[in-house]
Amino acid sequence: MQEHGDQTDPNDPADPADPTGPPVPEQPVSDPVVPELTTRTLDARSLRGIAHPLRMRLLNSLRRGGPATASQLAAKLGESSGATSYHLRQLAAHGFVEDAPERGKGRERWWRAAVQSLVFDSDRLEGSDPEIRGAADLFLHEVATTHNRELSTWIANRDDWLPAWSRAADMSDMTLRLTPERSAELVGRMHELVDSYRTGTPAEDDPESAQVRIHTHVFPVQEG
């Protein structure tokens, strides 16, 4: 599953340590704003470094909002600057963020995202110890929480946007009967379609344009 993306279904019902479960393809979890993506596939070590709610929010904020200081991020996220500073240093130690020297002209350190797309590949984590499986669960639950928070924010604030955005927004759900292979094909084609819209994007000063969040969820359910 990709957070732009990760290439493993985060809702895979199989135990990650159970090799008999159905294989779930790698797929992109969070989306960047720029056409050229810097992608990082998570392994056991890097998963430990990112699987924390505040660290994931910090990285998302830098990816979507651009370089910032620990104090600016603290004000934006409602955290203390001590907490954001500590977790930014931890993210840097694992290669998720880096210094933004072009901004660092004052006393405070500026940070920017070093990666735009995270890939969560459950195949790499099969047979991992309980600590890693716990980190994987935390990571995936935080992705789901972020999606829910973003959607709830849109619903609460949709009257602040032009009416055209209410007509253009979408909240849909569908049910299909698929095999894991067909499900993987569907996910791949959806991601290809989204990627095709990364070119020819309107200018940032276009008054009618805005960043748009797109969430995709594909998972099996019990019938009945």
Side-chain angles (χ1 to χ4, degrees):
M1 141 189 135
Q2 247 171 265
E3 201 232 324
H4 152 71
D6 169 46
Q7 318 270 9
T8 292
D9 189 338
N11 301 283
D12 181 358
D15 185 327
D18 178 9
T20 64
V24 182
E26 209 178 76
Q27 75 199 38
V29 164
S30 171
D31 262 1
V33 189
V34 295
E36 295 184 7
L37 303 180
T38 304
T39 300
R40 172 85 174 270
T41 299
L42 297 174
D43 56 18
R45 181 182 180 279
S46 58
L47 184 61
R48 287 192 190 96
I50 191 64
H52 184 285
L54 181 52
R55 292 179 196 176
M56 294 176 67
R57 292 180 68 196
L58 287 167
L59 179 57
N60 282 336
S61 183
L62 291 173
R63 289 194 304 182
R64 294 168 57 190
T69 67
S71 296
Q72 290 171 337
L73 291 166
K76 181 177 181 179
L77 301 179
E79 299 285 344
S80 71
S81 58
T84 56
S85 179
Y86 170 77
H87 287 292
L88 283 165
R89 292 195 302 271
Q90 293 302 306
L91 287 169
H94 288 85
F96 292 108
V97 303
E98 60 190 10
D99 284 317
E102 70 279 5
R103 300 292 189 94
K105 295 187 168 94
R107 293 177 56 193
E108 194 162 13
R109 191 174 184 179
W110 283 75
W111 299 92
R112 66 186 177 197
V115 294
Q116 289 291 341
S117 177
L118 299 180
V119 177
F120 179 95
D121 183 357
S122 61
D123 288 343
R124 289 192 172 205
L125 304 174
E126 284 190 4
S128 297
D129 61 39
E131 180 186 357
I132 299 303
R133 293 199 296 273
D137 286 346
L138 191 156
F139 176 82
L140 294 175
H141 276 99
E142 185 59 25
V143 170
T145 297
T146 298
H147 288 184
N148 182 66
R149 181 171 57 243
E150 291 175 344
L151 185 57
S152 295
T153 299
W154 154 249
I155 293 171
N157 299 324
R158 65 189 185 281
D159 289 342
D160 297 339
W161 293 83
L162 293 173
W165 277 115
S166 289
R167 295 190 295 271
D170 180 59
M171 289 174 57
S172 300
D173 63 87
M174 300 143 227
T175 303
L176 303 174
R177 178 172 291 278
L178 301 172
T179 63
E181 292 74 18
R182 289 277 286 169
S183 180
E185 177 188 340
L186 173 61
V187 170
R189 292 178 68 179
M190 286 193 295
H191 282 275
E192 288 175 2
L193 178 59
V194 171
D195 284 342
S196 72
Y197 280 82
R198 295 186 188 280
T199 59
T201 55
E204 290 187 9
D205 59 356
D206 184 334
E208 293 189 351
S209 71
Q211 287 186 19
V212 173
R213 292 291 288 156
I214 301 166
H215 301 158
T216 65
H217 307 130
V218 177
F219 52 91
V221 294
Q222 295 289 342
E223 298 184 35

